Amino acid sequence: MLCVLFHAVNQCDDSGFVNFPSTSLNCRRNLTSTSTNLSQIKAKESPRMSSLKSGIEVKSNESGIINNSDDSNGMIRHEISTKGKRSTNIVWHKCSVEKIDRQELLQQKGCVIWITGLSGSGKSTLACALTRALHSQGKLTYVLDGDNVRHGLNRDLTFKPEDRAENIRRIGEVAKLFSDAGIICIASVISPYRKDRDAIRSLLPDGDFIEVFMDMPLRICEARDPKGLYKLARAGKIKGFTGVDDPYEPPLNSEIVLEYEGDVCPSPEVMADKVICYLDAKGYLRA
């Protein structure tokens, strides 16, 4: 066997297995039996190699029991479910440095500015103008943009109603963490349903959720259509698009409402100033 490997050391295929020459070799075992044995080894090893390349697939079931099974490629699939299950053996671990300490360090109060409105209403534009203005005043902010978050944290979510709700829930939980860190968090998300926005409000202390409603007419948003989404929705190429074939539920009691003044839309800087005036009046720009 050793002489076979010695003569064939430079004759490997792409998978790392030896290609044996057709000439006979002076070994105790003949080439046919050796090739047969190695073919059997290769057949056993190939599924392992493919499983290493593909990784382990995790599936959910209703029982919450881990199921292991082999698929046609020999890959072991681990099935585990956490659906409807929540950990019960956990406790909240408090730290001696708390929100008030972080706010004192930053000389500001943490909060969540939740900008909601139709696609094309100017949410992201306002968020950028607002963070720029606050940054120039020495205030620490962070923007959670609805599209940006779907590139990473929420990239596994679709636009089905249940996924849209989960999208808002995750953004809300992250925004809460930023607020607890003493940061002024600016979330710009369509968030069309009141119950989802109200659920995020309930996560935060009273006053720390500041809802900003971009009350722009649908005709204006559709005329802007910066991403071409309204056009696709009207053509039937996008289903469940907010404002076209899916409802937007306007807020009933927003802290701040920004809207057209006559036939003129205020500039992003003017709208940002209105939000900053609110923050200043409520004491969020000082510790």
Side-chain angles (χ1 to χ4, degrees):
M1 186 67 177
L2 289 176
C3 66
V4 172
L5 294 176
F6 175 77
H7 284 286
V9 68
N10 292 321
Q11 302 181 48
C12 296
D13 63 16
D14 292 337
S15 63
F17 290 94
V18 176
N19 292 323
F20 293 93
S22 58
T23 57
S24 61
L25 298 171
N26 294 324
C27 296
R28 291 183 180 179
R29 297 183 180 180
N30 60 41
L31 182 60
T32 302
S33 62
T34 302
S35 298
T36 301
N37 291 338
L38 284 170
S39 296
Q40 293 172 349
I41 294 172
K42 183 175 179 180
K44 292 179 180 178
E45 289 294 329
S46 293
R48 296 184 190 176
M49 297 298 292
S50 64
S51 67
L52 288 173
K53 292 178 182 178
S54 303
I56 296 174
E57 180 176 333
V58 179
K59 287 186 175 181
S60 297
N61 59 24
E62 296 294 331
S63 64
I65 299 174
I66 298 175
N67 295 321
N68 297 333
S69 61
D70 292 340
D71 67 4
S72 58
N73 293 321
M75 182 190 297
I76 297 177
R77 298 180 182 272
H78 300 275
E79 297 184 356
I80 183 170
S81 174
T82 56
K83 186 175 181 180
K85 305 287 184 180
R86 298 186 66 179
S87 299
T88 56
N89 57 338
I90 56 174
V91 295
W92 186 267
H93 187 82
K94 291 200 68 174
C95 182
S96 59
V97 177
E98 298 186 342
K99 182 177 181 179
I100 190 170
D101 303 302
R102 293 185 284 271
Q103 292 180 153
E104 183 66 28
L105 179 67
L106 295 171
Q107 285 299 295
Q108 64 184 50
K109 290 187 175 70
C111 63
V112 174
I113 301 170
W114 193 274
I115 306 174
T116 177
L118 292 168
S119 177
S121 61
K123 299 181 300 300
S124 296
T125 303
L126 171 60
C128 289
L130 180 56
T131 194
R132 189 184 307 113
L134 288 169
H135 182 79
S136 69
Q137 296 183 24
K139 303 305 174 186
L140 184 59
T141 64
Y142 195 85
V143 174
L144 292 174
D145 182 84
D147 280 357
N148 291 356
V149 172
R150 281 184 177 271
H151 282 278
L153 177 66
N154 293 348
R155 65 183 176 184
D156 60 319
L157 300 178
T158 68
F159 287 90
K160 295 185 295 186
E162 59 270 27
D163 278 3
R164 297 185 80 166
E166 175 62 11
N167 178 59
I168 299 305
R169 188 195 70 81
R170 292 184 193 179
I171 294 173
E173 290 287 355
V174 173
K176 176 186 174 183
L177 293 176
F178 275 114
S179 175
D180 188 60
I183 296 170
I184 298 172
C185 181
I186 305 165
S188 56
V189 199
I190 292 175
S191 45
Y193 309 127
R194 288 192 197 102
K195 63 180 179 63
D196 294 333
R197 298 192 301 266
D198 290 344
I200 305 307
R201 183 186 291 274
S202 69
L203 293 175
L204 294 148
D206 288 344
D208 285 1
F209 181 87
I210 302 163
E211 189 174 60
V212 179
F213 176 31
M214 301 294 289
D215 188 11
M216 303 297 165
L218 174 61
R219 60 180 177 81
I220 298 297
C221 297
E222 191 165 355
R224 291 173 177 172
D225 202 11
K227 305 170 189 174
L229 299 178
Y230 283 101
K231 184 177 180 180
L232 292 173
R234 294 296 184 190
K237 296 180 180 180
I238 297 179
K239 300 296 183 183
F241 188 75
T242 302
V244 177
D245 57 350
D246 201 64
Y248 176 82
E249 299 172 356
L252 301 177
N253 296 292
S254 289
E255 282 73 15
I256 302 171
V257 178
L258 299 173
E259 55 190 346
Y260 258 59
E261 297 174 355
D263 290 330
V264 179
C265 179
S267 70
E269 291 73 23
V270 169
M271 291 189 286
D273 283 344
K274 290 185 177 181
V275 178
I276 290 173
C277 286
Y278 178 92
L279 294 174
D280 190 32
K282 296 294 183 179
Y284 284 98
L285 301 185
R286 53 190 177 275

